[in-house]
Amino acid sequence: NGDCQLEVLKLGKIHVGVVGIAAIGNLLRAASCPLRRLNLRSCQLGDDGAAVIVAALMINTSLQSLCLGKNDITNDGVYEIAGALRCNIVLQTLDLQNNPFSDTGAIAVVDCLQHSNDSFRKLKLRHCNAVSDEMKEELVDLLLVNAHGPELAQKTKQALTADQSTTGRSK
């Protein structure tokens, strides 16, 4: 019938390149392709690739889970992601682990969630440069205003605490 039935796409550890990321962006924009989960972990996206995904998220109405972990996304890319999250009210899980953004980038993401997406359930920020104690407390405070806030805040706090204890043991 010509309609796409793809609901899950896992491309982790594959360098998708400019053409590949453009195709994924087009897929996310297509109303006829109800992609619900997208894993782009370790695809060498950087901020430019993240920007393509972000542009698609602005209009996407089906994606519920997005993994952008380990893609060299900096604060610039994370700020764009935060902007998209202000428009996208469908996304429930976002994985930004192992990217080199700082506290301010993480706070931008969480801050936008408190103003827009009440369906959001899981935010993964481990192994980023965003691990200061002050940032952890601010994240937890900001997450509490989400409809799933207490549960989301507790899970994030546990993950960030585990991240710190793991980092502490390796030193």
Side-chain angles (χ1 to χ4, degrees):
N1 64 12
D3 285 339
C4 177
Q5 300 300 314
L6 184 65
E7 292 185 6
V8 177
L9 181 58
K10 296 179 182 181
L11 296 174
K13 298 183 182 178
I14 296 173
H15 178 67
V16 294
V18 175
V19 173
I21 198 65
I24 293 167
N26 289 336
L27 179 65
L28 289 172
R29 283 185 203 91
S32 64
C33 190
L35 190 64
R36 291 184 331 193
R37 293 187 319 192
L38 177 60
N39 182 339
L40 295 173
R41 183 181 243 351
S42 300
C43 289
Q44 302 173 13
L45 299 179
D47 290 338
D48 292 340
V52 172
I53 299 300
V54 164
L57 283 179
M58 301 287 269
I59 60 171
N60 180 275
T61 60
S62 63
L63 195 67
Q64 296 172 357
S65 177
L66 176 61
C67 176
L68 295 175
K70 208 169 185 179
N71 272 298
D72 294 320
I73 299 172
T74 68
N75 279 338
D76 290 341
V78 173
Y79 295 147
E80 288 193 44
I81 291 167
L85 291 176
R86 288 189 187 277
C87 299
N88 184 304
I89 58 169
V90 180
L91 197 67
Q92 296 177 8
T93 301
L94 177 61
D95 182 345
L96 293 172
Q97 297 181 100
N98 296 293
N99 281 298
F101 58 88
S102 69
D103 290 1
T104 56
I107 290 169
V109 171
V110 175
D111 184 50
C112 78
L113 291 175
Q114 77 174 337
H115 295 100
S116 58
N117 188 343
D118 286 338
S119 66
F120 202 84
R121 295 178 182 267
K122 193 171 193 178
L123 177 62
K124 296 181 179 182
L125 296 174
R126 291 180 64 187
H127 305 293
C128 298
N129 295 338
V131 293
S132 71
D133 289 337
E134 298 82 20
M135 204 296 269
K136 288 178 192 176
E137 291 304 316
E138 188 161 350
L139 279 175
V140 171
D141 289 346
L142 290 171
L143 290 170
L144 286 171
V145 300
N146 183 278
H148 300 283
E151 180 184 351
L152 182 59
Q154 186 61 31
K155 285 179 182 178
T156 302
K157 187 173 186 176
Q158 288 171 346
L160 289 169
T161 302
D163 186 33
Q164 186 177 36
S165 64
T166 304
T167 305
R169 278 190 230 126
S170 65
K171 288 184 180 179

